[in-house]
Amino acid sequence: MKTALMVAEKPSLAQNLANILSNGKCNTNKASNAACAVHEWNGTFKSEPVRFKMTSVCGHVMSLDFSGKYNNWDKVDPVELFSCPTEKKEAMPRLRIPALLAQEARGCDYLILWLDCDKEGENICFEVMSCVQQAMKGDILSPLVTFRARFSAITDKDIKAAMMNLVRPNENESRSVDARQELDLRIGCAFTRFQTKYFQGRYGDLDASLISYGPCQTPTLGFCVQRHDEIQTFKPETYWVLRVTASTSEGRELPLEWKRVRSFEKDIAHMFLAGIKEIKEATVVSIQAKEKIKPRPTALNTVELMRVASAGLGMGPHHAMQIAERLYTQGYISYPRTETTSYSENFDLIGTLRQQQNSNKWGSDVRALISHGINRPKKGHDAGDHPPITPMKPANKHPDTEKQSCSSHKHFPVYYIACYRKVTTLRMIFDQVITLMEKHGIGTDASIPVHINNICQRNYVNVGSGRRLVPTSLGVVLVHGYQKIDPELVLPTMRTAVEEQLNLIAVGQADFHAVLTHTAEIFRRKFQYFVRSIEAMDQLFEVSFSSLKTSGKALSRCGKCRRYMRYIQAKPARLHCSHCDDTYSLPQNGNVRIYRELKCPLDDFELLSWSSGSKGKSYPLCPYCYNHPPFRDMKKGFGCNSCTHPTCPYGVNSTGVSGCVECDGVLVLDPSAPKWKLACNRCDVIINIFEDASRVTVCETACGACGAQLVSVEYRAERTRLPAALTEMTACLYCEPNFSALVEKHRAVSSRGGGVRGRGGRSRAKQRSKQPKDKMAQLAAYFV
């Protein structure tokens, strides 16, 4: 029997698809990476019996990054990033998706791809194909081996119809995504590296870990700052309004509108008020009835979904799309990423309505509609992608018309109020930003919420009451700086032009390499001009932010000049020596303090202690070694717990106890007494040890059984937890039975007799490498 491997975009989607295609008769097992599952059943494909296997990825399998030395911020001129080599890397190394796909594809005859039906999904198709090409029996590029399912809803009808009408993956659409990824990476990283290093080296209160630039995120910020500037230059005027309220004999109050609407002169308003103040009754002189009809809306697409979620539900676009994705995978709505607002002529509207007719909220309305017949929906725009977002299970209803009228022949008592107001209604809210982004082609229906979320996370805007986007000082200064140097860097026109070229790649009308080379060259020249003109932006920073010399507080002594360096807590946390004009980066997202007034034996800098809190880990570090590793096997950004100095009492050779079986790190004695613990110097593994002990030290002697360093513990007599009221003991944490009750064993502790390695040694147990992300991999999502 032949085997067909099916791959969906998410584990939940794979489960739903497998249940539908197997009619609920599939067998499910956890996949080798524990994050995904494999669903299997027997069926028919190409008129022959086939064993189906359905698994999934978790979004993109691969991500684009620079290769080799080009990830080093300190050694590479950012302008080189416009032409340097790039490579594909695993997007989520922990999940080991490529290995899972290759394993499940081994010996399979067919590959059927159930990725989301948009350009990103098309790109993931080819990522999956590259992962399985060596394991499949046939040629992965053959139309007889690889198939693509196209669907818009997770229903039996749609999914089974997609299975009967499989197509080929669209390489042009995939290449357009490759082009966008590469351009965003090159442009974003080049500008971001230069801006970050330049401004963080001059100012101490920016409160931003990155001063990032993105071809989409920066124009989005520009919209917010433009409205902010309009508000700042707007001069509110005071005006006066005459308010009259009439009461009916039934006790109903009717507010009456002043025909003049308002008066900007206080005396004139009071003159009118005085003229009618003695009048106690109002008489109806005429009656007019008006019928107002709210036109039927066009069908719902992604941008409109985000807009109404913001305006009607107070929900941010990022959150709205997360909810929409869950509703889609659970079968409540059709595919939520679409630009189309027009239903096709053969769309089954009656069938869709019937899905709602049993609702206890509006089922009767739906049944009435079906029985009386329906009007065709208002014609919208057909973008040629997915149908409009359509409910598959009960959803909200909206009335089509509203009628208002007033009729009376009675006399009403009246009340008068004179008041004044200030016109202060200008603001920028989520749905306005979404509208502007759609209008100018900034981002796609799927990425618009990401760009808005990015400028919030970068500390460029804050979200105020009423979903207002309020630019921070940093956001305002950046946009004004771009406008001074090169307005096109912040205007939407450049991105719009790039998107047009990318769309031409997607439809096969433009060459991938030609678009990539031409666009990269344009931005390379813009970058060079930006670097030469950076003083124009710097002049704005000088007005809004404080220099490093005047920021922070004195903390520790410099090993070069012996003067106190200033600790700057605003992101990114760092030390600055104003005498040497040197800046030293520090670990982020934790607390930094002096470490026992000790000094590094290599450079005489005072040691610091970094802690992530009482439940986290801590370690000492030398500011100079942290930025300039003294040994080849050390990397920048490592503390004393990773320093391989042979005799230093704070390094790993003196404080390491054993290897961590979760990664290639070493479990090191944490200096945060009296809450004694071992903490891995690479990953987040922590082992709590010897509660209430007064002293814990790591010995030079290693355990003969497992190779771990022996540990010595001391207790005060009244608080000892050792047997026979002992106050001191030296033994192996893993092999000594009397230590077992005094150690909270976490996942890093292996079983007795094997698997625990000493300082720097290799474990005899099976290793599961946990690769730390380099800086550029972490930044990959920042530049879209």
Side-chain angles (χ1 to χ4, degrees):
M1 183 182 294
K2 291 185 176 180
T3 305
L5 174 65
M6 295 182 169
V7 182
E9 188 149 331
K10 302 175 186 68
S12 58
L13 184 58
Q15 181 176 354
N16 290 338
L17 293 174
N19 285 334
I20 292 172
L21 293 170
S22 69
N23 297 313
K25 297 179 180 179
C26 61
N27 296 317
T28 299
N29 295 293
K30 276 288 185 184
S32 58
N33 67 349
C36 302
V38 180
H39 315 275
E40 298 188 50
W41 69 97
N42 292 331
T44 302
F45 185 63
K46 290 186 171 294
S47 303
E48 59 181 339
V50 167
R51 180 68 173 173
F52 289 106
K53 292 199 299 182
M54 169 73 79
T55 188
S56 72
V57 294
C58 295
H60 273 284
V61 181
M62 310 300 288
S63 63
L64 191 69
D65 197 3
F66 298 116
S67 57
K69 67 174 184 178
Y70 296 99
N71 279 323
N72 191 314
W73 285 44
D74 299 320
K75 295 182 179 180
V76 175
D77 186 336
V79 75
E80 296 182 49
L81 302 181
F82 287 98
S83 57
C84 71
T86 59
E87 61 183 356
K88 292 277 190 176
K89 297 180 179 178
E90 279 190 59
M92 293 169 285
R94 287 187 181 186
L95 298 184
R96 307 187 308 285
I97 297 293
L100 165 67
L101 293 173
Q103 175 183 328
E104 296 301 332
R106 191 170 295 117
C108 288
D109 302 274
Y110 306 112
L111 176 66
I112 305 174
L113 299 161
W114 292 84
L115 286 309
D116 286 353
C117 298
D118 55 14
K119 292 175 185 175
E120 295 292 334
E122 219 65 40
N123 190 254
I124 301 174
C125 281
F126 285 87
E127 292 176 354
V128 171
M129 290 164 64
S130 69
C131 293
V132 303
Q133 60 184 351
Q134 300 299 324
M136 297 283 295
K137 278 186 177 179
D139 180 5
I140 201 69
L141 299 177
S142 168
L144 301 177
V145 174
T146 300
F147 302 86
R148 170 76 156 109
R150 291 201 165 273
F151 55 100
S152 296
I154 315 300
T155 64
D156 283 37
K157 179 181 177 182
D158 284 76
I159 297 307
K160 290 180 178 178
M163 187 65 187
M164 296 298 294
N165 297 280
L166 298 173
V167 297
R168 289 283 296 151
N170 189 321
E171 188 172 9
N172 287 332
E173 289 190 358
S174 176
R175 294 293 273 168
S176 74
V177 174
D178 286 334
R180 178 186 287 113
Q181 289 178 348
E182 185 167 337
L183 287 173
D184 288 345
L185 179 71
R186 293 187 186 278
I187 297 166
C189 287
F191 278 91
T192 297
R193 286 194 196 182
F194 173 73
Q195 289 179 172
T196 300
K197 292 187 69 176
Y198 185 88
F199 291 115
Q200 286 184 355
R202 297 172 68 85
Y203 302 100
D205 54 350
L206 299 177
D207 199 26
S209 298
L210 281 173
I211 315 298
S212 65
Y213 175 90
C216 283
Q217 71 166 257
T218 301
T220 303
L221 174 62
F223 294 139
C224 299
V225 174
Q226 180 183 2
R227 180 56 59 90
H228 167 81
D229 292 344
E230 292 171 358
I231 294 171
Q232 295 300 108
T233 57
F234 178 74
K235 295 181 179 178
E237 292 185 70
T238 300
Y239 63 85
W240 294 80
V241 178
L242 197 62
R243 292 291 186 197
V244 177
T245 302
S247 294
T248 69
S249 57
E250 296 90 357
R252 197 159 56 103
E253 291 191 344
L254 296 177
L256 307 180
E257 294 294 331
W258 190 17
K259 198 169 184 179
R260 293 178 179 271
V261 183
R262 66 178 65 88
S263 172
F264 289 95
E265 296 291 336
K266 179 179 179 181
D267 293 339
I268 299 296
H270 277 283
M271 181 186 73
F272 282 108
L273 178 61
I276 61 170
K277 216 168 187 180
E278 302 304 319
I279 300 173
K280 300 301 182 184
E281 287 187 334
T283 304
V284 176
V285 294
S286 67
I287 299 173
Q288 290 181 333
K290 290 184 179 180
E291 182 179 277
K292 290 185 178 180
I293 297 177
K294 184 178 181 181
R296 289 171 294 161
T298 55
L300 192 69
N301 67 1
T302 306
V303 173
E304 188 63 19
L305 168 70
M306 291 187 285
R307 199 156 34 217
V308 297
S310 173
L313 302 174
M315 188 182 293
H318 189 69
H319 184 209
M321 287 309 297
Q322 287 179 325
I323 298 297
E325 285 285 343
R326 286 204 290 271
L327 291 172
Y328 162 66
T329 56
Q330 293 169 11
Y332 284 94
I333 62 173
S334 63
Y335 190 60
R337 293 178 181 172
T338 178
E339 297 178 11
T340 293
T341 58
S342 176
Y343 286 107
S344 63
E345 292 298 324
N346 59 357
F347 188 88
D348 185 9
L349 292 167
I350 296 295
T352 303
L353 272 174
R354 287 196 178 111
Q355 297 282 344
Q356 310 287 328
Q357 64 183 353
N358 294 323
S359 167
N360 36 2
K361 285 191 175 181
W362 53 79
S364 58
D365 295 326
V366 172
R367 290 190 293 273
L369 275 173
I370 294 173
S371 63
H372 291 99
I374 62 172
N375 296 325
R376 292 294 304 175
K378 187 176 179 181
K379 200 70 176 175
H381 169 66
D382 185 358
D385 51 356
H386 289 275
I389 303 169
T390 306
M392 298 291 150
K393 295 180 182 179
N396 294 329
K397 66 171 182 176
H398 298 282
D400 192 57
T401 63
E402 296 177 5
K403 297 182 180 180
Q404 297 178 346
S405 64
C406 177
S407 174
S408 180
H409 296 280
K410 298 182 180 180
H411 297 283
F412 305 123
V414 295
Y415 307 91
Y416 309 96
I417 302 173
C419 61
Y420 72 90
R421 294 179 175 180
K422 287 186 177 181
V423 183
T424 56
T425 57
L426 289 175
R427 61 179 184 171
M428 175 66 84
I429 56 179
F430 276 118
D431 37 309
Q432 292 172 334
V433 178
I434 294 167
T435 300
L436 287 169
M437 294 177 73
E438 181 193 28
K439 176 182 176 182
H440 294 283
I442 300 299
T444 63
D445 50 10
S447 65
I448 281 176
V450 176
H451 306 319
I452 297 176
N453 193 52
N454 278 345
I455 63 174
C456 296
Q457 290 186 336
R458 305 293 179 272
N459 192 33
Y460 295 161
V461 300
N462 292 322
V463 181
S465 60
R467 310 181 321 283
R468 291 180 302 131
L469 294 173
V470 183
T472 63
S473 296
L474 179 58
V476 171
V477 169
L478 277 173
V479 169
H480 289 172
Y482 296 133
Q483 290 170 340
K484 285 185 70 174
I485 297 174
D486 182 356
E488 285 190 336
L489 291 175
V490 73
L491 289 174
T493 49
M494 283 295 292
R495 186 60 184 191
T496 302
V498 171
E499 287 294 338
E500 290 173 354
Q501 294 297 309
L502 295 175
N503 288 333
L504 290 176
I505 294 175
V507 296
Q509 295 179 11
D511 179 71
F512 169 84
H513 295 288
V515 171
L516 207 58
T517 303
H518 177 69
T519 307
E521 178 60 18
I522 289 175
F523 275 95
R524 185 186 68 83
R525 295 185 181 187
K526 284 184 171 294
F527 174 77
Q528 290 176 317
Y529 179 75
F530 180 76
V531 171
R532 293 195 300 269
S533 309
I534 193 62
E535 287 186 4
M537 183 182 280
D538 193 35
Q539 291 169 1
L540 301 177
F541 272 78
E542 285 180 348
V543 176
S544 301
F545 301 102
S546 303
S547 68
L548 282 175
K549 292 182 179 180
T550 59
S551 301
K553 60 182 180 180
L555 180 66
S556 65
R557 291 185 184 273
C558 171
K560 297 178 182 178
C561 67
R562 301 305 303 149
R563 290 176 170 84
Y564 277 100
M565 297 186 291
R566 302 186 74 84
Y567 172 43
I568 299 162
Q569 288 180 283
K571 290 182 180 179
R574 55 205 189 277
L575 283 174
H576 179 70
C577 178
S578 56
H579 182 265
C580 302
D581 196 23
D582 288 331
T583 303
Y584 302 96
S585 60
L586 296 172
Q588 304 298 304
N589 304 318
N591 300 313
V592 174
R593 57 182 176 81
I594 286 288
Y595 182 59
R596 304 176 188 170
E597 297 185 352
L598 300 171
K599 296 178 183 177
C600 175
L602 293 173
D603 48 48
D604 216 28
F605 274 71
E606 282 191 319
L607 297 183
L608 301 175
S609 174
W610 177 85
S611 171
S612 60
S614 60
K615 294 184 179 180
K617 66 179 181 179
S618 62
Y619 56 83
L621 67 117
C622 164
Y624 190 84
C625 294
Y626 187 84
N627 289 268
H628 306 283
F631 304 107
R632 288 185 178 180
D633 54 357
M634 282 185 67
K635 294 182 179 179
K636 183 177 179 179
F638 279 32
C640 297
N641 60 348
S642 296
C643 179
T644 53
H645 190 292
T647 60
C648 178
Y650 326 118
V652 68
N653 284 313
S654 299
T655 58
V657 174
S658 68
C660 173
V661 297
E662 287 292 311
C663 71
D664 289 331
V666 177
L667 293 173
V668 180
L669 182 65
D670 192 305
S672 57
K675 295 184 177 180
W676 303 99
K677 65 187 80 169
L678 301 181
C680 178
N681 61 4
R682 292 288 183 93
C683 69
D684 57 0
V685 167
I686 294 176
I687 301 178
N688 295 321
I689 59 174
F690 305 127
E691 186 178 355
D692 295 332
S694 58
R695 189 165 183 259
V696 178
T697 55
V698 179
C699 303
E700 286 294 324
T701 308
C703 173
C706 71
Q709 304 302 126
L710 301 185
V711 175
S712 178
V713 59
E714 298 178 16
Y715 282 94
R716 293 188 179 90
E718 67 276 11
R719 307 194 73 173
T720 185
R721 292 171 179 250
L722 296 174
L726 293 174
T727 57
E728 297 181 21
M729 180 177 283
T730 299
C732 175
L733 276 175
Y734 306 105
C735 302
E736 171 54 53
N738 289 318
F739 277 0
S740 297
L742 307 179
V743 175
E744 283 189 23
K745 296 181 179 180
H746 289 229
R747 63 184 187 277
V749 179
S750 69
S751 57
R752 278 185 58 189
V756 180
R757 60 189 187 276
R759 301 179 195 140
R762 296 293 299 178
S763 169
R764 293 188 292 274
K766 181 180 179 181
Q767 295 300 307
R768 191 170 77 194
S769 178
K770 183 178 179 181
Q771 303 171 23
K773 285 188 177 180
D774 55 50
K775 183 171 287 187
M776 289 316 304
Q778 293 175 9
L779 297 181
Y782 288 7
F783 309 124
V784 292

